Amino acid sequence: MSGALNYDPPGDLLREKIILVTGAGSGLGRAAAVAYAHHGATVLLLGRREEALNDVYDEIERRRLPQPAVLLLDLATANDNSFQELAVTLRQEFGRLDGVLHSAALGAQPLPLEHLAMETWDRLLRVNLTAGYALTRHCLPLLRAAAHASVVFTTCAAGHGVRAYQGAYTIAKHGVENLVTLFHQELASTSRIRVNALDPGPCATSLRRVAFPAEDPAKLRQPAQLMAPYLYLMGDDSLGVSGQRLDTRQET
Ligand SMILES: NC(=O)c1ccc[n+]([C@@H]2O[C@H](COP(=O)([O-])OP(=O)(O)OC[C@H]3O[C@@H](n4cnc5c(N)ncnc54)[C@H](OP(=O)(O)O)[C@@H]3O)[C@@H](O)[C@H]2O)c1
């Protein structure tokens, strides 16, 4: 995937593509949704806070980009039925999905495992791992209906190594990276769906502030500065790339 970080996408890279973005109300998800719309996609903005999603919707409308849609769903409480209903709605309204970006995640304050409540553990695993699996699974028929489809899971350094005091978050991201490999192995030979992991690296967002309260956000990159690999993995220039982990720090 050499060059994905300096990728210079054509303006119409995602023209007529329908792309679902989770965690679209803030941070990297929001920046990606706007970038995808800017490159021609109809973006489906999924999140749990209507106000935040409407704000992104308005920004996209203000820029006269393809009309997006808002999908309200709390990934902490969503069950099989919720994902099934969402998939049915998407089939009725759009017929297919050309891409899914999993950006939603719950951040966690640093805490030793010894003091981590089981409810917190469950919630972090549910939002950061299980929801991505369930949403992808229920969207597979929609992804199969596209000429080529791209599923991108967001991972981080913790998903590759071990980060003390970020126990459940670390375990969830390890799970995400395994999930990418599993979906890739199970889908690559039988479908035109590619599945990859993207590690954006440190970035000034609310999740980051929760996990690293002592860090100066002014020293971090802004989400909008990191969009090249998000566009590369979602567009047709990454056709044939699957089961990979794109790490922004390795490619500079
Ligand atoms: N920032 C970094 O330094 C960094 C580095 C590596 C990887 N990442 C990854 O990048 C992705 C995006 O995170 P971010 O940094 O952009 O943080 P962010 O701005 O906090 O974005 C996370 C999004 O997930 C949503 N979310 C959380 N719980 C949810 C739930 N129960 N249901 C639906 N949506 C929910 C949040 O919605 P609310 O606003 O309603 O909470 C928010 O929009 C995450 O997967 C994160 O692990 C971030």
Side-chain angles (χ1 to χ4, degrees):
M1 285 187 287
S2 162
L5 296 191
N6 303 315
Y7 178 59
D8 185 13
D12 64 350
L13 177 77
L14 302 175
R15 191 163 60 90
E16 292 181 6
K17 294 212 186 263
I18 300 163
I19 298 172
L20 173 61
V21 178
T22 75
S26 65
L28 289 152
R30 176 178 180 137
V34 173
Y36 292 161
H38 189 69
H39 287 80
T42 296
V43 282
L44 315 182
L45 310 165
L46 189 148
R48 62 176 168 174
R49 286 188 301 123
E50 194 167 9
E51 199 182 330
L53 297 173
N54 285 343
D55 198 52
V56 188
Y57 181 101
D58 290 344
E59 179 179 348
I60 290 172
E61 285 277 276
R62 240 186 348 264
R63 294 187 188 199
R64 298 178 190 277
L65 301 172
Q67 187 181 25
V70 166
L71 304 168
L72 263 188
L73 190 66
D74 186 337
L75 298 173
T77 53
N79 58 24
D80 245 359
N81 283 342
S82 329
F83 290 114
Q84 179 62 37
E85 281 169 21
L86 177 72
V88 168
T89 305
L90 295 182
R91 176 167 289 285
Q92 285 165 352
E93 297 290 325
F94 302 99
R96 68 169 204 280
L97 274 179
D98 300 287
V100 178
L101 169 66
H102 294 281
S103 191
L106 199 54
Q109 290 174 332
L111 207 61
L113 287 172
E114 186 178 357
H115 298 306
L116 188 63
M118 201 173 153
E119 290 73 22
T120 309
W121 171 280
D122 282 345
R123 198 175 168 82
L124 282 158
L125 269 287
R126 185 90 186 175
V127 174
N128 297 357
L129 174 61
T130 311
Y133 145 71
L135 179 61
T136 305
R137 181 187 151 225
H138 283 285
C139 285
L140 284 178
L142 290 157
L143 292 161
R144 283 199 174 97
H148 299 280
S150 173
V151 180
V152 179
F153 283 87
T154 316
T155 186
C156 68
H160 218 42
V162 173
R163 186 180 285 165
Y165 308 110
Q166 288 286 338
Y169 182 87
T170 295
I171 296 281
K173 289 298 186 188
H174 272 263
V176 163
E177 298 206 7
N178 282 301
L179 195 57
V180 165
T181 305
L182 287 166
F183 269 130
H184 161 69
Q185 288 180 353
E186 294 178 11
L187 294 172
S189 59
T190 57
S191 76
R192 297 177 304 271
I193 303 170
R194 60 198 191 279
V195 186
N196 292 289
L198 171 58
D199 175 1
C203 173
T205 66
S206 53
L207 179 145
R208 184 85 194 175
R209 274 193 299 281
V210 170
F212 296 90
E215 194 174 57
D216 178 2
K219 294 189 173 149
L220 299 176
R221 292 178 295 180
Q222 294 298 316
Q225 295 175 274
L226 294 165
M227 289 300 115
Y230 282 82
L231 287 159
Y232 170 74
L233 285 177
M234 203 50 86
D236 285 353
D237 286 325
S238 61
L239 286 186
V241 174
S242 189
Q244 302 294 309
R245 181 186 197 279
L246 178 50
D247 183 338
T248 54
R249 278 154 302 207
Q250 274 173 13
E251 267 228 0
T252 43

